[in-house]
Amino acid sequence: MTAAPRHAALTACALYVLCSALMASNVIFGRAAANIVPPVGLAFWRWLVAFLIILPMALPGLLAHRHTLRAAWKRYLLLGALGQGICGAVVYMGLEQTSATNAGLIYATSPVMIVMIAALWLGEKVTPRQTAGILVAMAGVLVILTRGDPQVLFRFAFNVGDLLVLVGAVAWAVYTVLLRQSRTSLPVVTAFAANALAGVIVLAPFYLWETLAFRTVPVSAEAAVRIIGVALFASVLAFITYQKTIATMGPARAGTTLYVMPLWAAVAAWALLGEALQAFHLAGLALVLPGVALATLPPRKPAPVTRSSEA
C-alpha cells in the first residue's frame, strides 16, 4: 500500500471512530444533565445553540432556498417534532430514569426499526436474513428492558426511562423514513439548519410550559457546559463528521457507525459517570449488534464469474 492510499484509509478509520463517539456523546451529556437541566430545556437550548453555531455556514443556503423552505414548512415542523422534539426532550426525560449504557443500547436498534417501518409503511421487501436480524435485535432490547429478569415481563414492571428512550428510537426511525421518502435537493448544511430551527420552534411552547409549571434552566457553569456539550459535540460535530464519513466511505459503511455507538456509550458511562457494566448489558450487546448487522448490512455482491480462455 502506497503512502496516499494508506493515509486515506487511516483518515477514513479516524472519521469512523470519531463519528461513532460523537453520536454516543448525546446519551452521556443527557445523563450528565439529568437533575441539573430540565429535559425540554436541554433539548430547546441544544438545538438553538446548534443552529447558531451552524448559521454562518448555512445562511447563504437558507437565503437562496427560502421559497422552497417556506413552501415545505409543515414538513419541517413534523421533522422537527420527531427528530429534535421526541428524539431530544423525550429521550432526555428517559435519561433522568435510566442509565446512559441502557439508552445507548436501545438507541442502537434504530436501523432495525427503520427496516420494520419501511416494510410496514412503504411495503419494502424484507428478506429472511433481515427478519432474523430483527428478531435477534428485538430479543436484545427485551433483555435490556427486563434487565435480564423474565419476571419483569409478567409483572409488566419496565423501567419508565427505558421505555421513553425506546419511544425516541422509534421516532428517530420514523424521522429517517420520512427523510428518505421526501428527498430534497437542498444542500445538507441548509437542511440541517432548517431542521434545527424547526425543532426550536416546536420545542418553544413546551419549554415555556416546563419553565412556568416545573423548573427553569439554571444559570450556572454546570448547565452551560452540558448544553454547549450536547449542542457542539452531539449535534454540530456529529453531523459534520458523519457527512465527512459518508464522503470518505460511502453511505452504507458510514451508516454502520451506529453499531459502534453503544460501545462508546458503555465505556464513557463507566469512565465518566461511574456506571457499572452488568451481565444483562453484555447479553443485550451480544444480541443487538449482530441483529442490527443482519437486518441492515447490504448483501455481498456475488463474485464475478471468470471464463477461462479456450485454447
Side-chain angles (χ1 to χ4, degrees):
M1 183 182 290
T2 60
R6 187 182 298 114
H7 181 267
L10 289 173
T11 300
C13 182
L15 281 170
Y16 186 93
V17 171
L18 180 60
C19 181
S20 62
L22 289 169
M23 288 181 173
S25 69
N26 184 42
V27 294
I28 301 301
F29 279 110
R31 179 60 184 164
N35 304 318
I36 296 175
V37 183
V40 181
L42 180 61
F44 174 84
W45 284 104
R46 170 192 179 182
W47 289 109
L48 179 57
V49 172
F51 174 74
L52 294 175
I53 292 172
I54 206 77
L55 185 58
M57 290 182 282
L59 185 58
L62 290 172
L63 293 175
H65 298 279
R66 61 188 181 279
H67 299 298
T68 302
L69 293 169
R70 190 180 299 121
W73 68 270
K74 292 181 181 179
R75 171 180 172 271
Y76 278 101
L77 285 181
L78 176 60
L79 291 174
L82 290 168
Q84 282 72 36
I86 298 176
C87 296
V90 172
V91 170
Y92 295 146
M93 290 176 192
L95 283 165
E96 290 185 327
Q97 303 180 63
T98 191
S99 67
T101 306
N102 275 28
L105 283 166
I106 293 169
Y107 225 84
T109 60
S110 291
V112 170
M113 296 177 191
I114 291 169
V115 174
M116 293 169 62
I117 291 169
L120 295 172
W121 186 6
L122 305 179
E124 292 187 5
K125 184 180 178 181
V126 178
T127 66
R129 188 196 69 172
Q130 288 177 312
T131 302
I134 289 169
L135 293 175
V136 172
M138 290 300 103
V141 170
L142 199 59
V143 168
I144 297 159
L145 291 178
T146 61
R147 284 164 163 73
D149 180 8
Q151 292 299 318
V152 171
L153 284 175
F154 301 108
R155 298 193 305 267
F156 207 74
F158 297 104
N159 180 285
V160 174
D162 290 337
L163 295 178
L164 289 172
V165 174
L166 185 61
V167 168
V170 173
W172 179 257
V174 175
Y175 171 85
T176 304
V177 171
L178 284 174
L179 281 180
R180 186 200 300 173
Q181 192 181 23
S182 53
R183 295 186 183 277
T184 177
S185 58
L186 293 176
V188 289
V189 174
T190 304
F192 176 81
N195 285 338
L197 181 59
V200 171
I201 293 170
V202 168
L203 285 164
F206 296 98
Y207 173 46
L208 179 63
W209 170 70
E210 180 186 67
T211 301
L212 295 176
F214 296 99
R215 56 192 177 111
T216 63
V217 174
V219 181
S220 66
E222 277 187 316
V225 166
R226 285 154 177 78
I227 290 169
I228 294 171
V230 80
L232 179 61
F233 293 101
S235 304
V236 175
L237 291 180
F239 162 74
I240 292 172
T241 55
Y242 186 61
Q243 295 302 321
K244 292 286 186 182
T245 306
I246 289 174
T248 305
M249 306 177 69
R253 293 176 68 188
T256 63
T257 51
L258 201 60
Y259 307 168
V260 189
M261 189 198 79
L263 301 175
W264 278 112
V267 171
W270 167 75
L272 301 176
L273 304 177
E275 292 184 6
L277 193 63
Q278 300 183 46
F280 74 85
H281 289 134
L282 298 176
L285 191 68
L287 291 169
V288 166
L289 296 191
V292 173
L294 280 172
T296 61
L297 284 177
R300 290 184 178 180
K301 293 181 180 179
V305 178
T306 57
R307 296 180 180 179
S308 58
S309 58
E310 296 181 2

